[in-house]
Amino acid sequence: RELSTAYPAGYVNMDVRDPNGLVEVERTLERMGLHLARVERPSLLISTAELQPIPANLFLLNGVLAGTQCAMASAPSLTWLRSAHAHPRVARGVRAAWIPTTDSPEEQGALGVLRSAAEEPLRAHGLELSCEALAPRSLAGADLAFIGAHGGISPEGMFFRVVADERSARFSARELASRVAGAGVVILAICNGGRVDRNPLARATVGLARLLLDHGCRAVIASPWSLDVSVIQRWLPAFLSRFDAGAPVIEAIHAGNQAVMRFSHHPFYSLAMNVVGDPWATR
């Protein structure tokens, strides 16, 4: 069914202060009729442009959110997926991460907290971390890339607009996508990084994750809404361990979400990390 707005948080209550928030999310999606048929294994959804703004994890399965029960993923289209599989990616042996921060305690903000939470698991799994103001060239073509930054949307509450650090650096979504072009699996620890909006001029969708796919990335993992650092703190080690054990990205991301679910069942936390692109991408 065609939806009146493109932002999932516009339909559902993502207010974590509400103790009934999870129930309200499920009730809202129930009224929208977003049900899936029986699913017993990792599943890929390919939705129409009208439904793509709803993350795969938030569709209903047996009356509850699908992402709580099984691994879910989405792709832009069958055409995109066929093209990706027709051109297998050759691993380069490069893993890179970027969190633009300073070493000054006086200037440490949310990104400093993110760096503290992510630095150890990133290094343990071979991701070379850069904290410079400019995204390193090693991100382009990396087999696995991690980016932690602030994400901004337009003043009217529509469309992802800018990636920023704690100081004054600003990058458009297209600028960032060009610096990560050709990467395999990209993890965005960026608020609204996985957000999808309807293109007002065409039956298509736009967003940072979609731009990354258009620039040759195979799979993008990101949150469609604001991202709490506590999510990355719990999700990242579980994801990396499962991914490096040989699991495809769709299963590894579900393992990470399950780790967060032990902390909170609210989808704002437990289903924040969604994957779009090729769900069978591996290390």
Side-chain angles (χ1 to χ4, degrees):
R1 98 179 31 174
E2 185 153 347
L3 306 177
S4 59
T5 179
Y7 188 37
Y11 309 125
V12 298
N13 179 10
M14 285 293 173
D15 185 355
V16 294
R17 297 168 298 180
D18 181 358
N20 296 314
L22 172 58
V23 175
E24 184 60 29
V25 169
E26 293 175 343
R27 286 176 177 172
T28 302
L29 294 168
E30 174 72 35
R31 291 193 294 269
M32 294 167 62
L34 295 178
H35 293 273
L36 297 176
R38 185 177 179 182
V39 174
E40 296 179 344
R41 62 187 67 185
S43 298
L44 171 68
L45 294 186
I46 298 179
S47 304
T48 62
E50 291 81 9
L51 288 178
Q52 284 184 25
I54 304 296
N57 281 331
L58 293 192
F59 280 75
L60 291 177
L61 178 63
N62 302 321
V64 297
L65 301 180
T68 64
Q69 303 174 69
C70 62
M72 304 293 298
S74 63
S77 67
L78 279 173
T79 301
W80 183 92
L81 195 62
R82 288 194 193 101
S83 177
H85 284 192
H87 301 87
R89 187 178 184 279
V90 178
R92 297 178 58 233
V94 176
R95 291 184 167 193
W98 177 53
I99 307 174
T101 52
T102 71
D103 292 324
S104 170
E106 292 78 14
E107 298 185 26
Q108 293 293 341
L111 294 184
V113 178
L114 173 63
R115 176 180 170 181
S116 297
E119 191 165 10
E120 183 177 343
L122 290 174
R123 293 195 187 281
H125 289 269
L127 283 87
E128 182 179 350
L129 176 61
S130 170
C131 299
E132 301 299 321
L134 193 63
R137 296 189 180 279
S138 56
L139 290 173
D143 300 327
L144 180 62
F146 177 95
I147 301 173
H150 292 294
I153 58 177
S154 61
E156 62 273 19
M158 301 288 288
F159 307 113
F160 187 94
R161 293 286 298 273
V162 66
V163 176
D165 64 6
E166 298 281 17
R167 307 175 79 178
S168 58
R170 298 289 185 272
F171 308 93
S172 71
R174 190 167 297 277
E175 286 174 322
L176 181 63
S178 68
R179 287 193 165 266
V180 194
V185 176
V186 181
I187 303 169
L188 300 178
I190 298 175
C191 290
N192 304 294
R195 175 193 175 101
V196 174
D197 288 289
R198 283 284 307 278
N199 187 328
L201 303 177
R203 290 182 63 84
T205 55
V206 295
L208 177 57
R210 183 57 194 264
L211 271 174
L212 288 167
L213 295 181
D214 290 344
H215 280 71
C217 299
R218 284 304 176 98
V220 181
I221 302 168
S223 172
W225 46 77
S226 297
L227 182 63
D228 195 284
V229 173
S230 65
V231 171
I232 296 298
Q233 183 178 17
R234 294 168 171 83
W235 179 89
L236 186 60
F239 169 84
L240 291 174
S241 293
R242 188 67 179 273
F243 187 66
D244 277 353
V249 66
I250 188 174
E251 294 181 5
I253 190 176
H254 184 61
N257 289 346
Q258 291 288 306
V260 179
M261 199 171 296
R262 290 191 284 272
F263 158 72
S264 173
H265 284 273
H266 197 293
F268 176 85
Y269 297 106
S270 62
L271 298 181
M273 302 305 282
N274 289 261
V275 60
V276 59
D278 181 3
W280 296 287
T282 56
R283 56 172 300 176

